[in-house]
Amino acid sequence: MAFMAVLESDLRALSAEARRRYPAVKDGAEHAIIKLRSLSSPSEIADNEDILRIFLMACEVRTVKLSVIGLSCLQKLISHDAVAPSALKEILSTLKEHAEMTDDTVQLKTLQTILIIFQSHMHPEDEESMAQALGICLRLLESNRSSDSVQNEYDTVSGVAPITRESLTKAGTVGLRLLEDVTALAAGGSATWLRISSVQRSFALDILEFVLSNYVAIFRTLVPYEQVLRHKICSLLMTSLRTNAELEGEAGEAFFRRLLLRSVAHIIRLYSSFLITESEVFLSMLVRVTTLDLPLWHHILVLEILRGFCVEVRTMRVLFQNFDMNPKNTNVVENIVKALARVVSSLQVQETSEESLAAVAGMFSSKAKGIEWILDNDASNAAVLVASEAHAITLAIEGLLGVVFTIATLTDEAVDTGELESPRCESDPPAKLTGKIAFLCYSMVDSLWLTILDTLSLILASSSQSPGSKRTELLADQRDGIILTPKNVQALRTLFNIAHRLHNVLGPSWVLVLETLAALDRTIHSPHATTQEVSTTATRLSRESSGHYSDFNILSSLNSQLFESSALMHVSAVKSLVYALCQLSQQSLPGIAGGFPPTSSQKIGSISFSVERMISILVNNVHRVEPLWDPIVGHFLELAENSNQQLRSIALDALDRSICAVLGSDQLQDRVASGSYPDSQHIKNASVDSRSLERVVISPLRVLYFSAQSFEVRSRSLKILLHVLERHGEKLHDSWQDILELLRSVACGAEKDLITLGFQSLRVIMNDGLSSIPVDCLQVCIDVTGAYSAQQTELNISLTAIGLLWTTTDFIVKGHIRLSSKDSEKEDSGKRVEELNSNKVDNQSSIFNVDEHDKLLISVFSLLQTLGADERPEVRNSAIRTLFQTLGTHGQKLSMSMWEDCLWNYVFPSLDRASHMAATSSRDEWHGKELGTQGGKAVHMLIHHSRNTAQKQWDETLVVVLGGIARLLRSFFPYLRTLSNFWSGWQTLINFVKSSIVNGSKEVALAAINCLQTTILSHSVKGNLPMAYLESVLDVYEHFLLESPSRSDKAIDRVKQEILQGLGELFAQAQQGFDIDMYKQLLEVVDVAIKATLAVDNAAADAGCIPPLQRTMLETLPLLCPSEHLSSMWSLFLQSILKYLPRAPPTSKSIEDAKQTGETDSTQADNWGKRESPNGVMSTSPRLTKDSVESEIVTTSMSGVQCSIFSEKLIPVFVDLFLRAPDSEKYIIYPEVIQALGRCMTTRRDSADGVVWRLAVEGFNRILVTDVIRLSQKDENHPCNSRSARNRIWKEVADVFEIFLVGYCGRALPSNVLSTVALKADISLDMAFLTILGDEILKSQIDAPSDILQRLVSTLDRCASRTCSLPVETVELLPSHCFRFSLACLQKIFILTSFETEVDKWNATRSEVSKIAIMVLLERCEHIFNRFLIDEADLGERPFPSARLEEVVFILEELARLSIHPDTASILPLHPHLKHGITTEGIHDGRAHLLVLHPSLCELVTSR
C-alpha cells in the first residue's frame, strides 16, 4: 500500500541522514525497515513499538534535520492511526522538548503535530495531557503570533467547549480552565493549569476577543462560563479600561488599547441584555474617555467604537430600550450623542478648523465615491495632525448620521407594520401612537433630535465660511459659471427627501419646490456648471480629486424620481403638482419674444422643465389620467399657439408623447375592456367615462388641425396622428370616426405635403388597423380611401390608395368567410363553382352579416369603377386592374346576385366605356411637359409613341379591361354560364372582339384574341365548354382572316400570328369537342390563313428567311392533326397541305370517290413519252419532259407563293404529318404525295444548291423505308387492298426513281455551283437514294407489277450505262463522282442478280427481279465488252482511258464472283442441251451466265 511505501522511504531517508554521526539511529532505521516489511497494515504498526521508537529516537537527537524527519513521520503515523494511545505521554514529552528549540521549522512541525493529535484518536482525555498539549501550543503561538496559528488555537478552544446546561463534562471543564488561564494571562498573571508563567497580555487579550465575538452561545448557555465572563473578564476589561493613572508598558500601546476596546464593544453589543450593569459601566467609561485629555489616537479608537454602535440599528434599539427608556438606568444613548456632538463642536475652537473642515469634506467625498482615504507618505506632522482631527470629527458626524439612519429605519418599520401612517393630504390629522416601535421612534426623536440638528447645523454653518481666500479668488474669476457647493448639493437632496416624504401636505408650496428644481435643471444642463470641490488642503490630502459629474448625475436622478413617484401620491397632491407646473410655465411666458437672449433662454428652459415634468406625471399616472388630462393638454395647446417656434416645437412634441403614452398604456386598455374605473372618489366624479376617454385623448389633434393657422402646426398634428396609429392603432376603438373624418378633410384640401402626411396615416390604418376598426366605420374608411384615390395633387398617392382598396376587399371577404385549409388549396374552378352554388357561408365565423358584406363590396366595386373613368391613365388602369383582381381573387365567395350585379353594372359597362372613349378620344399627338427653351424654341419632354395620344392611352385602358375579363372568364366561366342573360353578354364580347380585331390597334386586337383564347383553352380541356361558344370563336377568327387577306403590315401580321397560334392551341386542347363539320370549318379557316400568309410579300422572304407569319403557320400545322374520332379527316387535312407544295397535282378525283373506289384515275399521266436511250435501250415508262418539269417548278396554282422558302419548311412538316396519319387515310393520298415529292426533287436541275430537293429526297426516303413492306401485305383488311391502287402507288414510285436517278443523280455540274462540302453531301444523298432502291425496294418482298420491276431495274441500267455510252475521246472529261455513281448502279445490278445461300432470303419478288436483272446485266456486259473492242481498234497504240479500263476490270471481277440462282439460270439464252445438262445433271454451280458471255470473253482474251 502507498502508506507503507512512504513510511519505508522516510526510514531510508532517516538512515541516510544518520549514517555518519548517529549509527544507532541508522541501525534502528534499517531494523525498522526490515520490521516494516513484515507488517501489512497501520494497526499492526500500532501494535509494534519498534517503528514508533526509531522516530522518537531520531527526535531525541535534537538536530534539525533528524527532528524534522522524525516529526513528519510521527504526523503520518498519527494520521493513519498507526500509534497506540498509550504512547501519547511519551510523544507529548518529546514535543515539549522540541517546543523549546529555536528553529522555526521544528517549531512549525511541533505545532502541526499537536494539532494532528487533537484531531486524531489520540485526543487527550485527561486534564494533565490536555494541559500539557495546550501549554505547548500557547508557547509556540506566543512566540510566532501568526494569524493562522491563532485561528487554529481558537478552533482548538471551540472544540473543547461543548454547549450544555447540565454539569460540565470533561471537555467543558477543560474549556473553562483554559478560559480562566487565558484571562489570568491577559491580566498579566500566570496560568496555573497550563503551567505557564506569563505570555504577552495582548496575545491573551486577542484570544479573549475572538472567543467573545464567536462563542456567544456558550456564555449565554453555560452558567460557569457566564460567571467567568461577569466576574473575571469584565473585571479585567474594566481595570484595563481605566485611565486614571498613566498607562505604562504594553497596556499603553495602541494595539493593546484597540483589542481592549474591541472586547468591550463585543460585551456591549452581544451581552448587554444580561450584563446590564457592566454594559452601563463600559458605556459610561467610553463616553468619559471622549472628555479626557488623552492622545488623539486614543480618542479616535473610542469614537470608532461609538460610531459602530450608532450605525447599527439593532444595537441602538437595544441600548435605547434597555437604558434610556428605563428610568432606573442612565441615558447612555443620549450621552453618546452628546459626546459625539461635543467632538464636532470642538471644531470651532481649533486653530486649524478651516483645514480640518476641508479635510472632513474630502474624506466624505472619497467615501461617497467608494475610495479609501489614505494619507500621503510625505505628509508633514501638521498635515498628520489635521488629518487625525478631521478623522475624529468624521467619525463623530458619521455616528450622528447613523443615529438619524437608525431613527429613519425604525420609522419605516413602524410604517410597514401599520403602527404609523404617512399623511395623505395636508388636512389629515396627526397619526396616533399604536405600537412599541412607534413609541420608540417618538422617544428617540424627543431625546436625540435637537442635539443632532444643532450639531449638523453647526457643520453647515461652518462649511459656509470655506473655502479659503485662494479658492474664493478662483471662483470669482468664473463669472459666467454656475457652481454648486457641497452645501447646495446636500440642501437639494434634503429638498428631494422632503418632497418625497411630505408630498401630500405641500399643497401650494409646490411652486417653491418647482422653482428650485427648475433652477437645478438649468444648472445640470448648463455647459459651464460645476460642483465646488473640497478645500486645497483636502485636495492635497486625498489620493485623487472628486469629480462633479457624479453629483450632477445623482441630482438629476433624484429630480426624475420625484415626478416618477407621483404615481404613489394622493390624486389631490398630483393635481396640486400639475397646477404648480402650469403656473411655473405661465410665469415664464411673458417677455420671451422681446426679451434678452439669456433671459429668454432661461424662461424657455423653465417652460421646457415644466413640460417634461408634466409628461412624466402623465406617464406615471395613466391609471388615473382623467383629472390630469385637461389641465396638462390644455397647457400644451396654449403653448402650441405661441409665436415662438421653439415653444411650439416643445408643445407639439409633448402632445405627441402624451397621447402615445396614454393610448399605449395597459391600464387604459384594461379599463376600456372592462368599462370600469378604479375605486377612487375623484375618478368616479370625472365626467369622462371609459369609452369616451379615447376620443378625448385624440380630440386635441382635431383641434390643432382645424383651428391652427400655421402650416407647421397642422403638419405636426398629422405627424402626431401618424405616430399614434403606428404605435397604438390596434388599441383604438371609439375614435375611428373622428380620425377618418380628419383624414377625409386632409384629402379634400390642396396642400401636397399635408395630403402626403394624411395618406401615410391612412396606409397604416388600411394595412394594419382594419381589424380594429368597428364595422360601422368601414364604410367611412372606404370613402376616405376613395377620396385619396381621386385627389389630383399626387399621382403616386392615388395609385397606392387604389391598392389599399384591394386590401380592404381582402379583409371584407376574409372576415365574411374563413375557408378551411382544404378549401383554400382547391384550384379547380369547377369545384369552386359548386361551392358558390351551394352558398356555403359559415355565419358563425363571420364578423359581418351578408348584407353588410355585400354593401361594403359594392361600395368598393363602385368606387373602383368610378376611378376607372379618371382622366389620368395610370389611375384608371390601376383601378380597373384592382377591380378585376379583386373579383378574380374572391369571386368564389360572391353570391349569384352579386355576380350578376358585378357583370351588368361594373364589368361590361367598364368595357363599353373604355371602348367608347378609345373610339372618340383625340388622336392629336401630345407634347410632353415643357422643360425649357433652346434657341428660342420650347423643349418638351419626350413621350413614347405608344402613349402620345389620348386615343392610344385609352387603348391601353381597353387592353387592361380585356385582360381583366379574360381572368374572370378563365376562373369562373362554368359558373357564369349559369347566370341569366350571360349568352347575350358573351355575344356582346364576341362582337366587340370582332370589331377590335378588324378595326382596333394591334394591342387591343391581341388582347381581344387573348381574352377569347384563354377562356376557350381553360375550359375546353375540362369539358365545360359548350359547342356554341367554340363555334363563335372560330367564326371570329374566320371573319378576320376573310376580311383581311391582302392587308399587310406588322400589326396585322402580329394579329394573324396570334390567331394561328390560337387555332393550334384551341384544337389541341378542345379536339374532343370538334365534330366533322367543325373540323372542316377549321380546315377552311386554316386554308384561308395559309393563303393569307403566302399572299403577303415580306422582306424576310427576299432575304432568304421565312417570314414570321409563315413560320407560325408551320408551327401550327402539327397541332391540327385530326384526333382519333376524326381520323376520316386525315386525307382531307393532308390534301389541304399538299397543294401548297411547289405545285399541286393537275387534277385529282374527289376524296369521297377515292374512298369508295380505293383508287384514283391513273390516266392522268401528263405528257409522259418514250425516247431512245444513248445505249440503244428503249424506256417503256412515261416521264415528264424538260419543259413540263420547268413549268411545274416555275408555275404554281397560286400567284405570289414563295415556293423556295415555304416549300423548304413545309416539306419536312408535311412528311412528319403524313407518317403520323393512319393507314386507312394515308394510302388514299399516297400517289399524290409521292408525285408531289417527285416534283420537288426536280428542282435540282435549276437549283442544284437548293434545299427543297434535298428535303424532298429525305422525305421520300423516309416514306419508302417506313411503308415499302406494308405496301405488299395481302391482308384483306389492308387499307390499300385494291390491286389497282397499289399499282398506282408503284407507278408513281417508279416514276420518281426514274426521273430523279436518271435525270439528276450523278450528273456533272459546273465547278462554281457547289462547294466541296456540299458536293460530298449531295453524293452521299444520291447514294442513299440509290441504296433505297437497290436494297430496300428491289430486294424486299413487294407485290409491284412486273413492268414496274422492269422499269426500276432499267433505271439502274440507264444510270450504269453513262460511262460506256460516252465516246472514248470525252470519257476522261467525266467527273470522278459521276463515274463512281455509274459503277455503283452497275454494282447494284450485280447484287440483284447474285445469290448466296447463306445470306440471301430468296422470295418470289427476288426471283423475278433477279431474272430481269440477269438479262439486263448480260446485255450491259456485252455492250461494254463490244465497246471496249471497238475503242481499242480505234485507239490503236494510244493509251486507253483509265475510266474504261477500270469499268472493264470491275465487270470482270464482279463476273468472277457472281453466283446466280437456278431459277435465274433457267432463263438464260443458252443452247437447249446446255440448259438440259444444267437442270438434269445437277451440275449447277451458279456460273451459267459465263456460258452466255463466253464469246465476248474470248474476244477480250485476244485484246491488248
Side-chain angles (χ1 to χ4, degrees), residues 813 816-842 888-897 899 971-972 974-976 978:
V813 175
H816 182 53
I817 300 177
R818 298 175 183 175
L819 292 178
S820 64
S821 59
K822 181 179 179 181
D823 292 336
S824 63
E825 294 174 357
K826 292 182 179 178
E827 298 179 355
D828 185 75
S829 61
K831 293 183 180 179
R832 291 186 293 177
V833 168
E834 293 177 1
E835 292 175 4
L836 284 171
N837 289 330
S838 61
N839 292 322
K840 296 179 181 178
V841 179
D842 186 3
T889 303
H890 305 298
Q892 71 271 24
K893 301 171 187 177
L894 300 181
S895 62
M896 182 176 293
S897 59
W899 264 114
S971 301
F972 306 106
Y975 177 72
L976 296 179
T978 62

Side-chain angles (χ1 to χ4, degrees), residues 928-965:
K929 181 180 179 181
E930 185 173 342
L931 302 177
T933 57
Q934 183 178 7
K937 295 182 179 180
V939 178
H940 297 273
M941 180 185 295
L942 294 178
I943 302 178
H944 194 266
H945 65 84
S946 63
R947 295 174 51 85
N948 59 359
T949 67
Q951 185 267 338
K952 290 180 180 179
Q953 293 192 349
W954 274 105
D955 279 348
E956 182 181 1
T957 302
L958 191 54
V959 170
V960 174
V961 174
L962 289 170
I965 294 176

Side-chain angles (χ1 to χ4, degrees), residues 1464-1482 1488 1491-1492:
T1464 307
S1466 64
I1467 67 167
L1468 292 177
L1470 294 176
H1471 195 274
H1473 73 273
L1474 290 178
K1475 283 187 178 182
H1476 179 74
I1478 292 173
T1479 57
T1480 60
E1481 297 181 7
L1491 297 176
V1492 179

Side-chain angles (χ1 to χ4, degrees), residues 113-147:
T113 307
I114 290 290
L115 294 178
I116 291 174
I117 290 173
F118 279 128
Q119 297 170 356
S120 69
H121 72 289
M122 297 182 64
H123 188 285
E125 298 294 339
D126 58 297
E127 293 187 7
E128 182 180 356
S129 298
M130 181 64 72
Q132 186 179 1
L134 291 176
I136 294 172
C137 290
L138 286 178
R139 290 188 189 95
L140 292 174
L141 294 174
E142 195 268 341
S143 62
N144 288 279
R145 300 300 302 274
S146 65
S147 60

Side-chain angles (χ1 to χ4, degrees), residues 905-926:
N905 294 333
Y906 307 120
V907 176
F908 289 122
S910 297
L911 178 63
D912 294 339
R913 180 179 58 204
S915 176
H916 174 73
M917 294 302 297
T920 58
S921 296
S922 173
R923 299 178 182 267
D924 296 337
E925 186 174 346
W926 287 353

Side-chain angles (χ1 to χ4, degrees), residues 1254-1274:
R1254 294 186 176 94
L1255 295 174
V1257 170
E1258 292 174 356
F1260 181 82
N1261 291 343
R1262 288 178 59 196
I1263 292 175
L1264 289 186
V1265 170
T1266 303
D1267 290 342
V1268 66
I1269 302 300
R1270 303 178 66 186
L1271 285 174
S1272 303
Q1273 292 179 353
K1274 303 299 183 179

Side-chain angles (χ1 to χ4, degrees), residues 853-1121:
H853 169 267
D854 293 348
K855 182 179 179 181
L856 292 173
L857 288 180
I858 289 174
S859 176
V860 175
F861 295 155
S862 177
L863 189 57
L864 290 173
Q865 186 196 30
T866 303
L867 292 171
D870 196 283
E871 61 182 8
R872 296 167 294 177
E874 299 85 357
V875 174
R876 65 172 178 260
N877 292 344
S878 178
I880 292 173
R881 287 191 187 96
T882 304
L883 173 63
F884 285 105
Q885 286 170 347
T886 53
L887 286 173
T889 303
H890 305 298
Q892 71 271 24
K893 301 171 187 177
L894 300 181
S895 62
M896 182 176 293
S897 59
M898 276 292 294
W899 264 114
E900 291 180 351
D901 186 70
C902 291
L903 287 179
W904 305 121
N905 294 333
Y906 307 120
V907 176
F908 289 122
S910 297
L911 178 63
D912 294 339
R913 180 179 58 204
S915 176
H916 174 73
M917 294 302 297
T920 58
S921 296
S922 173
R923 299 178 182 267
D924 296 337
E925 186 174 346
W926 287 353
H927 293 289
K929 181 180 179 181
E930 185 173 342
L931 302 177
T933 57
Q934 183 178 7
K937 295 182 179 180
V939 178
H940 297 273
M941 180 185 295
L942 294 178
I943 302 178
H944 194 266
H945 65 84
S946 63
R947 295 174 51 85
N948 59 359
T949 67
Q951 185 267 338
K952 290 180 180 179
Q953 293 192 349
W954 274 105
D955 279 348
E956 182 181 1
T957 302
L958 191 54
V959 170
V960 174
V961 174
L962 289 170
I965 294 176
R967 177 178 179 179
L968 293 183
L969 294 176
R970 183 171 61 250
S971 301
F972 306 106
F973 182 77
Y975 177 72
L976 296 179
R977 285 196 300 107
T978 62
L979 302 180
S980 59
N981 296 328
F982 178 75
W983 176 253
S984 62
W986 176 262
Q987 289 297 327
T988 301
L989 179 63
I990 289 294
N991 294 333
F992 171 78
V993 172
K994 282 184 180 180
S995 175
S996 299
I997 293 176
V998 176
N999 303 318
S1001 65
K1002 180 184 72 173
E1003 290 77 10
V1004 175
L1006 293 178
I1009 293 172
N1010 183 68
C1011 179
L1012 294 182
Q1013 191 71 20
T1014 55
T1015 303
I1016 299 301
L1017 292 180
S1018 299
H1019 301 284
S1020 58
V1021 179
K1022 304 170 186 178
N1024 297 328
L1025 186 70
M1027 298 304 297
Y1029 293 92
L1030 185 59
E1031 291 175 355
S1032 62
V1033 175
L1034 288 177
D1035 291 340
V1036 171
Y1037 292 164
E1038 185 177 15
H1039 173 78
F1040 170 73
L1041 294 174
L1042 291 174
E1043 288 291 330
S1044 58
S1046 59
R1047 294 174 57 186
S1048 177
D1049 56 45
K1050 291 183 178 180
I1052 294 296
D1053 289 349
R1054 182 69 185 88
V1055 174
K1056 289 181 179 179
Q1057 282 182 260
E1058 191 72 21
I1059 289 178
L1060 291 176
Q1061 292 174 353
L1063 285 172
E1065 294 176 358
L1066 177 62
F1067 182 74
Q1069 297 294 334
Q1071 53 186 297
Q1072 296 301 325
F1074 278 74
D1075 56 13
I1076 293 179
D1077 293 334
M1078 287 187 62
Y1079 188 76
K1080 288 182 178 180
Q1081 182 183 0
L1082 175 64
L1083 292 182
E1084 292 175 1
V1085 175
V1086 172
D1087 186 66
V1088 173
I1090 295 177
K1091 291 178 181 178
T1093 59
L1094 297 178
V1096 176
D1097 193 11
N1098 195 296
D1102 298 336
C1105 300
I1106 188 169
L1109 193 58
Q1110 295 180 8
R1111 183 184 302 110
T1112 304
M1113 186 70 250
L1114 293 174
E1115 294 171 354
T1116 304
L1117 286 176
L1119 301 177
L1120 302 179
C1121 296

